[in-house]
Amino acid sequence: VVLVDMAVARKQGSWLRALLATAAGRPSLPVLTLPGGEQVKSLTWLERAYDWLASRQLPREGLVVAVGGGALLDLAGFAAATWHRGIRWSSVPTTLLAMVDASLGGKTAINTADLKNPVGAFHPADSSYADPAVLSSLPRLHWRAGLAEMIKAAVVGSRPLFRDLRRHQLTLSQRLGHGRSTSKVDGILAALPWPEWIVQAARVKVRIVTTDFRETGPRQALNLGHTLGHALEAHLGCSHGEAVAVGMATAVRVAVTRGLCPPDEGWQIIELLKAVGLPVTADPPPLSVLTRLLKGDKKHTARQPAWVLPERIGKVHLDQRVEPAEAATACRG
Ligand SMILES: NC(=O)c1ccc[n+]([C@@H]2O[C@H](COP(=O)([O-])OP(=O)(O)OC[C@H]3O[C@@H](n4cnc5c(N)ncnc54)[C@H](O)[C@@H]3O)[C@@H](O)[C@H]2O)c1
């Protein structure tokens, strides 16, 4: 059975029909369309999905194919992880972020109790199929969000990818540096080598996740920019990609100030983020609020989280301690 993101059904109808016909060898796979975006990661939509799987009598040996952005994949993957105590699933990511990040690594989850991703399972997809053609309808905001994760992947584990992104920095800046965040980005697919970049960024994630599936060590590298990013996202009300970009730039400044990362490499990371239209500075909240937000804990009991800091492009330091005051200064730029 197939679970599809409503935006894809609406904006990429012929692409979807072609995909379903090819995947099935017949055009009549059962399809459930669900809303895309964060709202779908809820108990309400999970229950609707279960009801539908029951109505289709999906057996234990059945397969769920999830077609959509990261949110839809998180929900569908969790439904697959729990249906009959776990059945197989495949992902077809349709946003850049989902192609290089959310579709890989086996984490599935929904949101509940006012928290993000507290209920989930490690349940990797059997396979993941990414076709950049589907990105033609992606709004600029989501290109930038995907690029934030792609730049992160390069900084964490691929100098060649970073070099290539830098080589195309002018084109990236022309297409993404300005313009309405909700509009499509004309010509961007043909202008840049997306298939190569997606494969290279995906490889970084797969390599790291393979060494540390349950995130006890090296997988933390993928949190570069996310420690402060998560805190700022809630406070500033900005998008996840924007918050991660500010978080990454902040981590760069802390690393450069401490002499952990060469200044010219740090500068290149920040310039690339800026080129794609992502913010690299922000006004942090007052220190007491920032301290609480960084802990991500409403009861004030958690410890300060560990930070990931760049050592050079392609390599990071794990488990670094950064005081909230130091983070606030670096966040301002
Ligand atoms: N499981 C993981 O390892 C992992 C990793 C990173 C992020 N995530 C999760 O992924 C989610 C974010 O994913 P996202 O950035 O893909 O956002 P998203 O899934 O919210 O999608 C963004 C918007 O784009 C729409 N959309 C999807 N494909 C489209 C297309 N081809 N053209 C036009 N619009 C399209 C969606 O309907 C949605 O409105 C978050 O919930 C996050 O927690 C999970």
Side-chain angles (χ1 to χ4, degrees), residues 5 7 36-38 41 69-71 74 94-95 101 107 116 134 137 142:
D5 190 313
E38 211 56 32
K41 290 173 62 170
D74 271 6
T94 62
T95 63
D101 193 353
K107 284 187 183 176
K116 194 165 156 67
V134 76
S137 49
H142 293 297

Side-chain angles (χ1 to χ4, degrees), residues 5-8 11-12 35-38 41 68-74 94-98 101-109 111 116-117 134-139 142 145-146 149 205 219 240:
D5 190 313
M6 195 138 358
V8 178
K11 298 178 181 173
Q12 296 284 357
E38 211 56 32
K41 290 173 62 170
L72 186 287
L73 300 186
D74 271 6
T94 62
T95 63
L96 182 60
L97 183 138
D101 193 353
S103 64
L104 307 164
K107 284 187 183 176
T108 70
N111 305 328
K116 194 165 156 67
N117 299 331
V134 76
L135 301 176
S136 62
S137 49
L138 205 62
H142 293 297
E149 298 298 343
K205 177 151 187 190
R219 188 168 179 165
H240 177 74

Side-chain angles (χ1 to χ4, degrees), residues 15 26 63 67 94 105 107 126 129 199 208 240 257 291 311:
W15 176 89
R26 63 193 170 98
L63 173 80
V67 184
T94 62
K107 284 187 183 176
D126 270 21
Y129 170 78
V199 168
I208 291 174
H240 177 74
T257 307
T291 306
E311 179 178 332

Side-chain angles (χ1 to χ4, degrees), residues 82-97:
T82 44
W83 186 251
H84 291 314
R85 302 190 181 83
I87 64 169
R88 294 184 306 130
W89 74 294
S90 288
S91 62
V92 183
T94 62
T95 63
L96 182 60
L97 183 138

Side-chain angles (χ1 to χ4, degrees), residues 125-202:
D126 270 21
S127 61
S128 189
Y129 170 78
D131 177 6
V134 76
L135 301 176
S136 62
S137 49
L138 205 62
R140 189 172 272 108
L141 173 76
H142 293 297
W143 278 105
R144 291 178 182 146
L147 271 152
E149 298 298 343
M150 193 176 256
I151 294 168
K152 180 197 78 180
V155 173
V156 164
S158 176
R159 274 181 96 82
L161 173 58
F162 191 87
R163 249 198 320 266
D164 213 39
L165 288 165
R166 283 270 298 164
R167 199 163 48 234
H168 291 86
Q169 187 163 310
L170 183 60
T171 314
L172 280 167
S173 161
Q174 285 163 345
R175 307 278 170 169
L176 297 172
H178 315 275
R180 286 214 358 246
S181 59
T182 49
S183 53
K184 287 195 321 176
V185 189
D186 292 332
I188 191 167
L189 274 181
L192 292 159
W194 296 106
E196 288 82 357
W197 287 356
I198 291 165
V199 168
Q200 287 187 69

